[in-house]
Amino acid sequence: MSAGWLAIAGLGPGDEALVTPEVSDALAQATDVIGYIPYVARVAPRDGLALHASDNRVELDRATLALELAARGRRVVVVSSGDPGVFAMAAAVFEALEAGDASWRELDIRVLPGITAMLAAAARAGAPLGHDFCAINLSDNLKPRSVVERRVALAAEADFAIAFYNPRSRARPDGLGRVFDVLREVCGDARPVLFARAVTTPEESLRIVALPDARGEMADMRTMVIVGSSRTRVIERVGAPILYTPRWMPEGTP
Amino acid sequence: MSAGWLAIAGLGPGDEALVTPEVSDALAQATDVIGYIPYVARVAPRDGLALHASDNRVELDRATLALELAARGRRVVVVSSGDPGVFAMAAAVFEALEAGDASWRELDIRVLPGITAMLAAAARAGAPLGHDFCAINLSDNLKPRSVVERRVALAAEADFAIAFYNPRSRARPDGLGRVFDVLREVCGDARPVLFARAVTTPEESLRIVALPDARGEMADMRTMVIVGSSRTRVIERVGAPILYTPRWMPEGTP
């Protein structure tokens, strides 16, 4: 085995105070940092560090480059925002690993977790994911829309709180609106919806609306959408309300 | 509003390199730290810091104490392992807040996210949560067992990867075994199961078995169990295998 290694690291939602020391240490030891342009821009340049920034939708090229560099003995960090294992680069690297050169399987590869967007958004609003929940990626270039809508309906039937990643983009502006339609059909009106945009950054904004009032246009590419379960509650107070889901369910719940 | 504040902070899964700087800063400014005994034991004692450690299953007492101290002007940190918003103290504090003194709603309360156990476990194994997934708490003292089993069946039908928190305890030794039975019934044999014990600590151990071979006795109170989706793959290699779920689904998936 060469002295090279590959770390797939999560930078968290944006605030540098949410980057773990483990990730900071890996970046301090790296010879190469690879990732999507805005994430690589969060890494301070220094002598001896090569920054490889690339555009969106080239995840497999990025993963292959990372494996090749590590195999040549470089110390490589692939950066994702949030957590690299949640709709991010870790799976892409393992896809490339499985399809690629057999010798890559001997590489020293680690995944370094980070604060994923849904947990940062939940923390800013209270604790909407305090009971059972699920996470669904609405990026339908990776998944047929029928699968998305079926999953959403089953998740609502199971009464999960639901966190939606990548809720909206220019290529599919109406997907989120369709999801809200499905949710209104399956679970009625009683659920609160959180739109949490750019959490922990200077552009952060939070908005809570009732499900009947939720519209796709309330989200953009930087928004995390969390739909409460039937048990999720809103505590009104001076300033922002608190959104939370109790830990328990009453006896006699069907 | 008094100068007191309340932070509900996540200490991550165990390794101090996974505690965020935001949480370390809050602990450095605190006058009081409140939590379950083993979590408070992770906080270094110092002059001017009162440590309030209590046993399990008194979450609401702990939450009430935290709110009372903050209302008296103290700087209070409630500590959870992992992330405080995932089956942990944040929801308990908001339950106490909602039921308690109206003046508490004026307090400065923040939730400081942490690396939750399922993401730490996933990172150590690869990326089993790389596609849609859900998190289910098997602690059935908070939830009727019928709800648990119905949710598990719906989650399997939706083809989520599933992370199980609190999979097993002395009070309910057979719950996890029943869950595996439900999963075998709904989704057949093809899924890998990860048992990740005490991740990021010196006692860490990982084990991957096929669903037909999964037994409740393979988990204890310190284990996170992750059941893959139908798409989750195992990459064999020298040393530990890699478990991951690809980001995409083939066209024509029903």
Side-chain angles (χ1 to χ4, degrees), chain B residues 101-180:
Chain B
D101 193 302
S103 70
W104 286 352
R105 298 188 185 203
E106 293 172 37
L107 288 171
D108 174 4
I109 304 180
R110 289 166 295 153
V111 178
L112 311 184
I115 303 294
T116 187
M118 72 177 161
L119 297 184
R124 300 300 274 174
L129 306 178
H131 199 66
D132 300 341
F133 64 94
C134 65
I136 296 178
N137 189 350
L138 291 185
S139 174
D140 62 8
N141 62 316
L142 296 168
K143 183 164 57 183
R145 180 170 296 193
S146 58
V147 171
V148 173
E149 295 184 1
R150 186 160 169 278
R151 273 195 188 158
V152 169
L154 288 164
E157 204 185 324
D159 204 15
F160 287 122
I162 310 175
F164 292 107
Y165 282 76
N166 302 311
R168 199 144 188 275
S169 72
R170 263 161 294 185
R172 47 196 163 74
D174 61 337
L176 180 60
R178 280 285 305 132
V179 162
F180 289 141

Side-chain angles (χ1 to χ4, degrees), chain A residues 21-33:
Chain A
E22 182 180 65
V23 168
S24 298
D25 287 354
L27 289 169
Q29 294 170 36
T31 57
D32 297 82
V33 169

Side-chain angles (χ1 to χ4, degrees), chain B residues 2 8 10 53 64 67 69-70 76 85-86 117 161 173 179-180 234:
Chain B
S2 76
I8 311 154
T64 302
L67 289 159
L69 289 173
V76 181
V86 177
V179 162
F180 289 141
V234 179

Side-chain angles (χ1 to χ4, degrees), chain A residues 91-107:
Chain A
V93 169
F94 296 127
E95 285 164 37
L97 178 72
E98 190 174 17
D101 194 301
S103 71
W104 286 352
R105 298 188 185 203
E106 293 172 39
L107 288 171

